[in-house]
Every structure is written in structure tokens, then in C-alpha cells.
Amino acid sequence: MKALNESRATKVRRQVLRHFVLGFASILMIYPLLWMVMSSFKPDELIFSDPTALPTSFDLTSYFQGWFTFRESFTTFYMNSFIIAFFAVVGNLMACSMTAYAFARLEFRGRKIWFVLMLGTLMLPYHVTLVPQYVLFLKLGWVNTFLPLIVPKFLAVDAFFIFLMVQFFRGIPREIDEAAIMDGCGPWRIYWKIMLPLSTPVMATAAIFSFIWTYDDFLGPLIYLNDMSQYTVPLALRAFVDSSGGESLYGELFAMSTLSLVPVFIVFLAFQRLIIRGVALGALKR
Amino acid sequence: MTLKMDRRGFGRLMGGGASLWALASTGALAQANGSVRLIWWGNPERDKRTNAVVELYEGGGMGEVVPETYAWGDYWQKLATQAAGNSLPDVLQMDYRYIFEWARRGQLEPLDGYFGNEIDVSDYDENQLKGGMVDGKTYGISLGANSMTHVYNKAVLSNIGYELPDSTTWTTEDFVNIGKELKDQLPDGMAFSENMGSQEPRLQTWVRSRGKDLYTSEGELGFDVQDVIDYFVYWKMMQDEGLTQPADVQAQDSGKMEERMHVNGKSLFGFIHSNQLVGNQQLMTDEVDIVMIPNAGDSPGHYMKPSMFFSMSANAGDKAAAAKFISFFVSDEGANDILLIERGVTADASIRERITPGLTETEQKIIRFLNMVDTRVGALPPPPPANAGEIDRALRPAWESVAFGQVTPEEGATAWYDDAARILKR
Amino acid sequence: MTSVSTNPGGRSAPSTEGRFARIWRRNGAGYLFLLPWLVGFLGLTLGPTLASLYLSFTDYDLLTSPRWSGLKNYEYAAFYDRRLGKAIEVTFTYVLWSVPLKLTVALLLAMVLDRSVRGVAFYRATFYLPSLLGASVAIAVLWRQLFGADGLINQLLFFVTGIQGPAWITHPDYALSTLIVLAIWQFGSPMIIFLAGLRQVPQDLYEAASMDGASGWRQFWKITLPLLAPVIFFNLVLQTIEAFKAFTQAYIVSGGLGGPVDSTMFYSLYLYLEAFANFRMGYASALAWILLVIIAIFTAIAFGTSKYWVYYEDEQR
């Protein structure tokens, strides 16, 4: 009886300690967000002259004015960002998982060569392919449309996700597909009915990264979009500050930056549950 | 079996593709006749004013304008990419630092042929027009003038009760003496001046006040290594005397307004261009004002610099329309009532007279300053050679190696001077 | 590179089958699945990649047509470019410190967050936050506030020891270290991947091990690490590649200058400045291909050693 009590006490103590450590770490992590939110309530002349001071009032003007600062409102920018991010997620999940399945499980000639070339595409700094790629899309007539930002995702150009999925697919025991082959399943069915369902954590991971990286990307939209009616959120955010020393709107910048984190946060919370739920691999395995 | 499943899979892919094509119809490059694509870098305030002028232009039935705008840091990458793809907009905002390079590399259209026809610059200041000339042809119309300044925290100075001497004649020695006098009266954590050792425009006024310039008209270095040595020695002395912040603190300023020493209360004096005063004041509660830069020689090193230009792309679709828009932008009264001096003080005398009364107090300071400088400026410097930008960027690490005590001022100056000569040859 | 496991192999073909049909049966499914990627690779990636390879042998200023210059760019990089040497030194230092530290932190926190602590979803989200802020202006400002002259770090230092610290972020001796700390702080992405990996480890293995009386430490070494090896391998390779190519953080924090005195001049930052600030796209392309070779060597080493420590569930043991 006594021993049991003691172990409960250590358990509680351990829980408290864990929360203390995690909580402290969270504050460290969350500090920039707090600073940004604080700054969004301050007038511009106070943001940098006294950066750590608390705001004296919760003035929401930066939020209202920030939303409507430009010719197009942030409603447009959010719509554009969501359209692009949505297709990027769908495209990446479909195309990269198919490619990864081919590399992880299927037998075909030239597989190693293709795999090496695929990895190679990760290694070249993107600044030097930027201009040739722009010329290519220009010739295709795709500049000033969303196509250069979406089509490549359906063609699995993000080798990161392919490699990621290969590593996870290879963690699925081969006995499972061998059993399926016995039952007369072809590669497509194995991919669709076995691989994908058993890979929820990695697919959710890929979905989170696809969404966040596409949503945060500013170089692609900067290069390929011209019309403000097609701007994405990060492109619009960059227009608040004049780094050449002209008039800038810092309060509005921080207000809109704060808002821009909301969708990523929601997507993260939604998809991380899929990662955490995990798969009942053990049950299937033995 | 296998094949059937595969086909279905690809059918799905194709379906996705089709909806993408539908998305693609949301916009094509506007290259229709009479239509002008316009691009500039800037900020929300400039965007608002420029867009209003575009609407005024379109409302007058003069044609269609398709505007594009980016932040300064993104602008040049975007423009270079568009140039590489031969898809530059028709009217480009150009910077004094880049216009020579872009003109010489064949990207810009000479505008002389349009003067008196589409473009009306009859009221324009001759010198300002010359600022847009490269190898005898005009490649850009100045949108406004500015000059280099020393900005100072007026509130702090009047608290101390100190009166600055006449800035039209003061010297770099006077500047040091004032600094020593004020040093102990300044608020906690505030040094007398920003350290300008890495500021290429400050170095330019330094050598100009000694009757030289950064570059000769042949595109070679226009000053001697001794000038740079003196410059580095001077600013190292300022740092050692405690008149400027230590090197690591000064290095926190990477050139953005919000990082500048004087903006953050870390120095009394700072170095800005006159057209930046409004943006500068906006970030400070204390009132600031601008004065001329101390002489390092016999005369002021100032000149009237075109703050930025409008240029036309050599590949513009409808050149007459582009020229007409440029003309409207710089000479129409209605347009300039909107633009005021946000891009710099206009070189059009009649317009300057017209808009001055409506300006804010901070903007009036700029006009007053430029009027003071105007009669004391030297000639425009010869156009900088192609790699001038790289030499400018190399000055900062060179100065920092001196400031952090890694090398002596002599070594640092000599290394940079040799580097600059090599860069020019490359 | 032994990147992909050897397959048990197709069953032997009946000799009556036509040649084409045999090739199709052996390779068809693979290539059908590979098709989207192949189209993307050949249509969108390969062209620009080869173009950049070609440009690396030219003088190209973006504004006028490229002019063939042979090996000049490579020669200059190998023998004359002093700043490049500094950039390589900075980049290697960054890779060697940031990658192992970041991965260790990511793995540790992933394991802590894998447990069902109350409110764990909240912690996971907040730990991912810094990675969300990746390239925003807030990061630059924040880093200045933490590591600047009057920053939080110095205030703590002064409070505890009475020593006035330097402006860490802009001191040539410490600037790179602050960027390494920043890299570690943004451990969110590998952490999420570790979490997903941990979820693929069958729980019954731990239960069985607990019943056998294996300690937590032993379970970590004998179950978690081996089964997580493919994911650790992935994170190691990808983080190394990313660290070699690191650009954004240095660009943002140093204001694009790589300073002070080039102490944070990363390879990619230098390449970017050459390409878009100095208009030397030809030279920048050569730099890019040199970097590619460097990264490829490291990746090949990783793959070469992987057969000794990475086991896949699909391998025949």
C-alpha cells in the first residue's frame, strides 16, 4: 500500500516537472509571437524605440487598416494563398507518394539511376535555376498565372517528399504486400489499399509541410506573379516595409503577420492528430 | 487488373490537370496597344499615391496602365529575372545606382527623341535632367532630387540647450570638437554620432570636399588610397574616443531605417538622404532635423542626386504610350498634387512652387534643406562604372575589419582600395 | 549508392512471351507510377538544371546574352576568389555544428512529446512555432533583441555575473554561433518527422520489452533507435543538404550582408549576391555546381555507411 502511494507521488512529481520544463521551453518558443502581437498594438514610433515595453492600449486599428492597405484587400491575398496551397498539398501527396511507391517497392530498370538523379535535384541551390525556369514558364505562357506554382507539385518536383515517403514505405514490412499479391492484388491496389492507409503519419507530415512551405513561400510568387490581384499573403506582407528608407507601416505589418499565422496553426493542429493517431502496424504485422 | 487500376489512377490525375488549366485563364500579360505596364519599388504610401495617379490617367481616357510594385529588396531580383526573359514592364522605376548599368547593357530606351513630343520637360531643371544621362543620351527622367544629410535628434539637443554652428561651413574637425563638448551631456547610452566608416556616400562627400570623386569619367577610381586611409583613421579615432558606438553595436545597423543608431537612441547624429526624413521621423518620438555634412576639405561635398527615375524598357510594347505616361507623371499638375514630394523634390520649378504650401512640417524641412544646399553643390559626379555596386558593398567588411581591430586603418584602406581596382578590371 | 533495397525479383518469364511484352511486364508498373515524376523531371527540372550547367561555363550578366568563357569561372573560384574560401569555412562550421545539435534536440523532444502528457498537442504546436516563423521579419528583430547589445542574453548575463556582454549577433567572433543557435531553435520540421517515425514503431514491442524487464534506456537503444534508423537517416541527409544550402536565416538576420567582416557569409548567400547583386550569373552557376559536388560527396558517404546502421523493414534478414 505504502509503496503504491510513493510511486504515485513520484509520478505526480514527474508530471509536474515535465510540465515545468515543457512550459518553460514553450515560452522560449512562443516569445517572438508574443512580441509580434504586442507590436501590432503599438504606434510605429514606439515599436523600435522601446521594443520590450508592453502596449498601453489594445488598439485594433492596425488590423483594420492593415487588411485594406493595398489596392486589393487581404481577402484576395488569402484566397490566392489558399488556392495555391490546396493544390500544392493535393499534388504533392498524390504525385510524390506514387513516385515514392515506385522507388520503394516496384522493380524496374534504371531505378537506381533515377533515384540518384531525384536526390541530386535536392542539391542544386535554387537561385541558379530560377532564371532558366522563369524563361521556361514564360515560353509556356504560364507567367502571371498560378500554374508555375501548382503544376510542378503534380509532377512531384519536391524530391524532399519523395525521399521522405520512400523511407516510411520501406518501414512497412514486405510480408503485407506479399500476402496481398497472393490474394491477386496488383501494384495499384497495393499502393491505394495498403501503402497509403498504413502511411497516415507520413502523409499527414507531408501535408503539413506542403501547406506551410507553399503558404510561406514568397520567392515563387514574387517571380511568377505580376498582378496584385494574384498576390499571396507573404508577397503582400513584404510590401509594408520600405527597406530603402521610405515610409513604412510596421504596426500593420505585425498585425497582418500575426493574422497570417492563424491558418498555418489551424492546419498544423488538424493534421498533427493524424500523425499522432498513428497506425496499427503491429496488429497487421504478426 | 493492374493496368485497369493504373488507368483509373491516371484518369484522376488528368482530371486534376484539367481544373488547373481552368485556373490558368485568370490573367495574361497585358501587351495590348495603348496599354502600359508600370513597375516600381516602394511602400504603402507610395503605392497609394502612384495608384491614384494611375487612376487619374486612366480616368482622363489617356490609356490603360497595369501597375506592379515590390519592396526594394525584391524589386531588383524580379526586374533582373524579367529582363533575362525579355518581359520587362514598359515603364521602370530606376535608381541612380543602377541606371548606368541597365542603360549600358541595352535594357533601356533613350528618351531624347520623345522630348518636345510625347514628353514635356520644359520646366525641368537642367542639372536634374543631366542626372539621367548615360554616354550622352537620356535614359531616365528624375522623379525628384535629394542630397546627403546629417540627421540629428533635435529634441535631445534643445534639452541640452546647445546651438549647432552654421552647417554650410563646418568641418570634420568642428564635428569632433562638438562631439567632445557634448559627450558627457548626452542621455545614457547615446553616443555623439553614428559611425559612418562603412557608408560609401559619406566617403564620397569626403573625397568630393577634397576636389575629387569616387570615379573618373573613364570609369577608374577618382581618389587616392591616402583619402581612404584618412577616412578610416578619422572614424577609428571617433570610435576610440567614444564619440561613436563600439564596432559590434554599430554593426547592428545593416542599413534598414529601424536599425539605425540615431533611430534607436544610440546616437545623436546619423547619416541619411534627405528624402528619407519622413520615413525616419515616423519611427521616432523625438523630433529630428537635417543639416549639411561637415567638410573634409575646402568645399562642401554635396551634390543634388536624382532620388529615382522613370525609364522606359528598350522592348516596350507601345513606346509612345509609355512616353506619354512618363510625361503625365512628371509634369501634370493634378498628378503632382497627389504625388507631392514622396519620391523626392521635383525638378519642375513651377510644380515645386505649386505644391510646397500644402506640405507637412517634416516635408517643409526637406525643401528648406535642399534650398540651402542648392546654391552650394558641386557638379554631378561622372556616371559610376558597372561594378560600382560591388565596390560599395566591399567597403563595409573592409571598414569592419578595421573597426573590430583585426587590421590597422592603413591596412584595411589599402586592401579595400586594391580590391576596388581589381573589381573594376574584372 | 545503395539507396534502394534489392527486390526479390520477378518470377522467370515464360519463353513464349514476346520481347516487348516481357519488358513491359517487368518494368511497366514501375514506370507508370514514376510517370508524373519523370514528366516533371524531364520537362521542368532537367532543362533549367542543364541550362545552369551551361551557364557555369559562360559570362552571363542576366541583361545581355551569355558568352562562352570555358573554365574561367571554375578557375577563378579555385584559385583567386578569397571571399569564397571564407564562405566555405563558414558553411562547413555551420553544417558541422548545427546538424547534429538540431537533430539531437528534435529527437529528444519528439520522444517527450510522443508520450500522452496532458496538453501535449499544445506543446507540440508551440514547439513548431519557431519553424513557422522561419523567414519572417519578426525573426530578424527577435534575434537582435535576444543577442543584441542590450538584448535579453546580456541582461541576464549582467544580472548574474555583472559582466557587460558584447553584441553577440554582430561580433565577428560570435555572429555565426547565434545563427547556429537559431538553426537549433527551429527544430520543428525534423521533430515532426521523428514523431511520425515513432508512431510507426509497433507498441507491442515496447510492451514485450517491458515485460522482459528492459529499462527505458535499453528500450531506446534496442527498439527505438534501430526502428527509427530510416527516419534518422532521412533527417540526417536532408538536414545536411539544407544546412549546406542555408540561405534565408543568414540573409534575414544579417540584412543580406553576411557580416560582420563576412563572418556569416554562407555559401548560398555569397552565390546569391554574385548572381543578383553583382550580375554574375555565370560565376554563380559555377559556384552552384561546385556546391552540388560537395553536397553529393557528403550524401554518398552517408548512403555508403548507411548499410551498417540503417535497417529497413522490407529487407530480408
Side-chain angles (χ1 to χ4, degrees):
Chain A
M1 193 63 209
K2 201 181 165 216
L4 205 86
N5 267 341
E6 230 176 47
S7 83
R8 183 180 288 166
T10 16
K11 223 176 191 173
V12 170
R13 215 177 302 144
R14 202 185 264 180
Q15 283 277 2
V16 169
L17 187 75
R18 188 173 277 163
H19 275 292
F20 182 76
V21 171
L22 288 174
F24 181 76
S26 300
I27 292 172
L28 208 68
M29 296 289 139
I30 221 166
Y31 180 75
L33 182 72
L34 289 180
W35 184 83
M36 216 157 78
V37 175
M38 257 165 42
S39 300
S40 69
F41 293 120
K42 290 191 203 168
D44 279 9
E45 68 267 20
L46 290 180
I47 293 176
F48 297 101
S49 54
D50 197 357
T52 47
L54 292 164
T56 47
S57 66
F58 285 91
D59 188 356
L60 284 171
T61 36
S62 285
Y63 285 82
F64 291 118
Q65 285 178 358
W67 193 272
F68 297 107
T69 295
F70 304 108
R71 250 156 82 104
E72 305 279 344
S73 77
F74 265 76
T75 317
T76 312
F77 306 143
Y78 274 103
M79 285 305 294
N80 294 336
S81 280
F82 288 147
I83 290 172
I84 295 171
F86 171 78
F87 281 105
V89 170
V90 174
N92 266 340
L93 289 190
M94 276 178 21
C96 293
S97 65
M98 284 176 65
T99 314
Y101 176 63
F103 279 130
R105 279 297 204 264
L106 298 176
E107 184 73 2
F108 55 90
R109 222 178 245 208
R111 187 172 66 162
K112 280 190 181 171
I113 295 289
W114 292 127
F115 190 80
V116 168
L117 285 175
M118 188 269 295
L119 275 186
T121 60
L122 279 171
M123 299 172 195
L124 200 65
Y126 53 85
H127 290 121
V128 293
T129 49
L130 200 64
V131 168
Q133 204 136 40
Y134 174 80
V135 174
L136 176 73
F137 286 129
L138 191 73
K139 295 234 162 92
L140 288 170
W142 289 3
V143 168
N144 209 20
T145 74
F146 292 160
L147 289 177
L149 306 173
I150 292 174
V151 174
K153 315 283 181 186
F154 281 84
L155 299 175
V157 296
D158 265 330
F160 176 91
F161 294 111
I162 302 176
F163 187 27
L164 176 70
M165 289 175 190
V166 165
Q167 294 302 95
F168 276 83
F169 287 172
R170 296 195 60 197
I172 297 173
R174 196 176 275 275
E175 299 99 77
I176 295 175
D177 13 339
E178 273 163 9
I181 292 171
M182 294 294 198
D183 294 345
C185 289
W188 177 260
R189 210 178 163 81
I190 293 174
Y191 161 75
W192 191 251
K193 293 281 183 193
I194 295 174
M195 283 299 183
L196 290 189
L198 284 183
S199 309
T200 337
V202 68
M203 296 309 265
T205 306
I208 290 179
F209 290 168
S210 285
F211 182 88
I212 293 172
W213 291 345
T214 315
Y215 181 86
D216 279 350
D217 178 31
F218 92 91
L219 193 66
L222 168 70
I223 296 295
Y224 295 117
L225 303 177
N226 296 340
D227 266 6
M228 194 165 238
S229 63
Q230 303 199 331
Y231 274 19
T232 58
V233 174
L235 209 48
L237 287 179
R238 295 177 73 89
F240 279 113
V241 172
D242 184 353
S243 49
S244 67
E247 297 170 56
S248 301
L249 298 174
Y250 287 93
E252 282 82 349
L253 166 72
F254 290 120
M256 288 301 109
S257 300
T258 306
L259 280 188
S260 76
L261 285 176
V262 174
V264 256
F265 212 64
I266 291 173
V267 165
F268 180 82
L269 285 178
F271 278 93
Q272 62 125 15
R273 306 179 117 180
L274 292 178
I275 301 180
I276 294 319
R277 195 184 296 152
V279 283
L281 203 60
L284 265 163
K285 197 179 167 190
R286 282 174 188 98
Chain B
M1 179 71 199
T2 310
L3 214 69
K4 204 171 145 200
M5 297 308 279
D6 281 339
R7 246 188 234 135
R8 197 188 295 162
F10 281 106
R12 243 173 246 172
L13 239 190
M14 299 314 269
S19 60
L20 285 180
W21 283 110
L23 267 178
S25 55
T26 45
L29 290 181
Q31 283 291 7
N33 251 12
S35 159
V36 177
R37 275 174 71 207
L38 165 70
I39 191 168
W40 72 91
W41 76 83
N43 51 61
E45 184 58 38
R46 183 175 303 161
D47 299 350
K48 225 168 260 170
R49 295 186 189 199
T50 312
N51 285 326
V53 171
V54 165
E55 270 162 38
L56 189 69
Y57 183 78
E58 290 181 332
M62 304 176 75
E64 192 200 354
V65 178
V66 185
E68 273 182 61
T69 173
Y70 302 93
W72 164 264
D74 304 333
Y75 182 81
W76 296 101
Q77 192 175 359
K78 172 94 184 180
L79 215 58
T81 313
Q82 288 181 328
N86 265 334
S87 63
L88 277 180
D90 306 317
V91 177
L92 324 165
Q93 187 171 307
M94 264 289 143
D95 183 71
Y96 188 68
R97 205 177 321 173
Y98 291 105
I99 189 167
F100 306 99
E101 194 145 0
W102 281 70
R104 288 197 178 129
R105 301 202 203 245
Q107 293 291 335
L108 305 182
E109 172 84 2
L111 298 173
D112 309 81
Y114 302 92
F115 288 170
N117 301 317
E118 287 89 352
I119 299 182
D120 171 25
V121 281
S122 45
D123 272 346
Y124 247 62
D125 177 70
E126 275 291 306
N127 270 318
Q128 281 297 298
L129 269 185
K130 267 189 205 148
M133 282 178 95
V134 183
D135 305 331
K137 287 185 191 145
T138 312
Y139 287 95
I141 308 282
S142 166
L143 298 179
N146 69 27
S147 194
M148 301 170 251
T149 77
H150 270 12
V151 60
Y152 68 96
N153 192 321
K154 199 173 179 178
V156 167
L157 210 54
S158 53
N159 259 352
I160 298 174
Y162 187 85
E163 193 85 19
L164 283 181
D166 178 11
S167 78
T168 58
T169 53
W170 65 345
T171 65
T172 44
E173 270 163 53
D174 298 337
F175 194 61
V176 177
N177 292 332
I178 298 169
K180 286 179 176 162
E181 192 182 334
L182 290 178
K183 194 181 162 193
D184 298 326
Q185 305 175 55
L186 293 171
D188 249 6
M190 184 182 278
F192 172 63
S193 171
E194 166 192 349
N195 197 305
M196 304 169 194
S198 67
Q199 295 266 18
E200 187 232 34
R202 178 67 188 88
L203 173 64
Q204 187 178 26
T205 54
W206 180 281
V207 296
R208 275 175 68 90
S209 65
R210 292 176 166 190
K212 303 170 188 174
D213 212 316
L214 285 183
Y215 303 102
T216 65
S217 45
E218 286 79 40
E220 281 158 8
L221 292 176
F223 54 97
D224 303 312
V225 67
Q226 191 57 45
D227 296 315
V228 202
I229 294 175
D230 294 348
Y231 186 70
F232 279 6
V233 166
Y234 179 81
W235 287 111
K236 186 72 171 37
M237 177 274 294
M238 292 288 275
Q239 181 184 315
D240 294 343
E241 290 281 337
L243 296 178
T244 69
Q245 295 283 354
D248 53 343
V249 177
Q250 175 62 47
Q252 292 188 130
D253 168 11
S254 72
K256 300 191 193 84
M257 194 55 83
E258 72 266 22
E259 296 166 354
R260 306 299 297 274
M261 293 295 122
H262 67 276
V263 171
N264 293 307
K266 286 187 180 333
S267 76
L268 181 68
F269 275 89
F271 180 94
I272 63 171
H273 285 88
S274 57
N275 61 328
Q276 296 177 319
L277 184 66
V278 177
N280 184 340
Q281 182 64 69
Q282 199 192 5
L283 289 179
M284 294 175 67
T285 40
D286 286 355
E287 190 192 344
V288 290
D289 204 348
I290 44 181
V291 290
M292 281 174 71
I293 291 169
N295 302 332
D298 309 325
S299 58
H302 284 261
Y303 62 95
M304 286 293 220
K305 188 173 178 175
S307 54
M308 53 194 88
F309 306 92
F310 265 171
S311 294
M312 195 196 299
S313 158
N315 299 318
D318 187 338
K319 288 183 176 162
K324 245 171 53 193
F325 177 75
I326 295 177
S327 180
F328 179 82
F329 200 88
V330 298
S331 63
D332 184 80
E333 291 183 343
N336 280 278
D337 285 346
I338 297 170
L339 294 168
L340 297 178
I341 62 165
E342 197 280 319
R343 278 184 169 86
V345 176
T346 174
D348 187 315
S350 61
I351 285 187
R352 192 164 53 223
E353 213 162 289
R354 180 185 158 92
I355 59 176
T356 303
L359 299 175
T360 64
E361 171 55 24
T362 308
E363 289 167 329
Q364 301 270 9
K365 279 181 192 163
I366 300 174
I367 302 258
R368 279 199 299 271
F369 171 79
L370 288 180
N371 285 340
M372 168 170 78
V373 173
D374 198 26
T375 52
R376 297 176 176 87
V377 291
L380 265 180
N387 293 334
E390 192 178 355
I391 294 172
D392 171 8
R393 277 186 297 277
L395 179 62
R396 188 178 165 112
W399 158 250
E400 281 174 346
S401 66
V402 174
F404 283 105
Q406 297 176 346
V407 296
T408 66
E410 288 76 15
E411 288 163 349
T414 314
W416 178 72
Y417 192 84
D418 293 347
D419 258 355
R422 194 165 46 239
I423 290 170
L424 282 179
K425 286 203 191 85
R426 195 173 159 188
Chain C
M1 283 201 234
T2 54
S3 49
V4 190
S5 81
T6 43
N7 200 290
R11 279 142 287 175
S12 61
S15 53
T16 50
E17 206 176 35
R19 197 177 127 81
F20 185 77
R22 200 165 61 234
I23 293 174
W24 173 254
R25 194 175 51 72
R26 282 207 184 137
N27 302 307
Y31 274 95
L32 277 179
F33 272 92
L34 208 60
L35 193 65
W37 177 79
L38 264 182
V39 171
F41 178 73
L42 299 176
L44 299 179
T45 313
L46 188 63
T49 305
L50 290 179
S52 79
L53 182 60
Y54 163 74
L55 290 176
S56 75
F57 296 103
T58 65
D59 268 342
Y60 181 39
D61 64 8
L62 289 172
L63 304 184
T64 47
S65 305
R67 283 180 311 277
W68 183 261
S69 67
L71 286 172
K72 199 188 100 189
N73 289 329
Y74 290 94
E75 251 171 65
Y76 188 80
F79 302 115
Y80 303 107
D81 196 342
R82 279 182 301 153
R83 287 184 93 187
L84 180 63
K86 179 74 184 170
I88 290 177
E89 184 194 322
V90 167
T91 306
F92 268 87
T93 314
Y94 177 75
V95 171
L96 292 178
W97 282 97
S98 72
V99 175
L101 289 173
K102 182 180 189 170
L103 289 184
T104 310
V105 173
L107 180 58
L108 280 178
L109 278 162
M111 282 168 46
V112 171
L113 294 180
D114 192 35
R115 307 286 164 78
S116 42
V117 186
R118 190 186 295 249
V120 73
F122 168 78
Y123 290 128
R124 272 193 291 264
T126 53
F127 287 174
Y128 196 68
L129 255 179
S131 310
L132 292 182
L133 288 169
S136 73
V137 188
I139 286 289
V141 180
L142 169 79
W143 233 237
R144 256 152 235 275
Q145 274 187 44
L146 285 180
F147 292 102
D150 326 314
L152 203 59
I153 302 288
N154 274 351
Q155 283 173 17
L156 283 176
L157 191 73
F158 189 76
F159 183 71
V160 176
T161 65
I163 299 168
Q164 178 60 51
W168 305 92
I169 195 162
T170 45
H171 193 288
D173 296 344
Y174 311 112
L176 183 57
S177 314
T178 67
L179 286 181
I180 291 171
V181 173
L182 175 60
I184 298 166
W185 186 63
Q186 296 190 318
F187 58 79
S189 300
M191 178 189 81
I192 297 293
I193 294 170
F194 278 136
L195 262 177
L198 286 170
R199 283 289 143 164
Q200 253 195 357
V201 177
Q203 290 303 307
D204 53 357
L205 286 183
Y206 290 113
E207 283 155 25
S210 288
M211 255 169 328
D212 291 347
S215 66
W217 184 243
R218 204 174 150 77
Q219 290 180 22
F220 173 73
W221 276 108
K222 293 293 172 189
I223 303 172
T224 313
L225 267 192
L227 284 176
L228 212 54
V231 176
I232 296 174
F233 178 66
F234 171 83
N235 272 335
L236 179 69
V237 170
L238 256 296
Q239 289 299 326
T240 308
I241 293 177
E242 291 302 316
F244 269 117
K245 285 163 67 184
F247 169 76
T248 314
Q249 271 69 9
Y251 181 81
I252 298 243
V253 172
S254 78
L257 299 167
V261 211
D262 285 352
S263 59
T264 59
M265 182 60 85
F266 284 14
Y267 197 103
S268 288
L269 181 55
Y270 182 60
L271 182 155
Y272 166 83
L273 291 175
E274 280 291 293
F276 288 102
N278 298 338
F279 293 105
R280 282 195 206 103
M281 186 50 93
Y283 186 59
S285 299
L287 291 180
W289 281 86
I290 294 170
L291 182 63
L292 178 122
V293 170
I294 295 175
I295 296 178
I297 291 171
F298 274 81
T299 312
I301 293 173
F303 271 95
T305 58
S306 74
K307 57 171 161 278
Y308 301 110
W309 62 279
V310 182
Y311 301 100
Y312 295 93
E313 280 293 305
D314 66 355
E315 275 167 338
Q316 315 285 313
R317 271 176 284 182

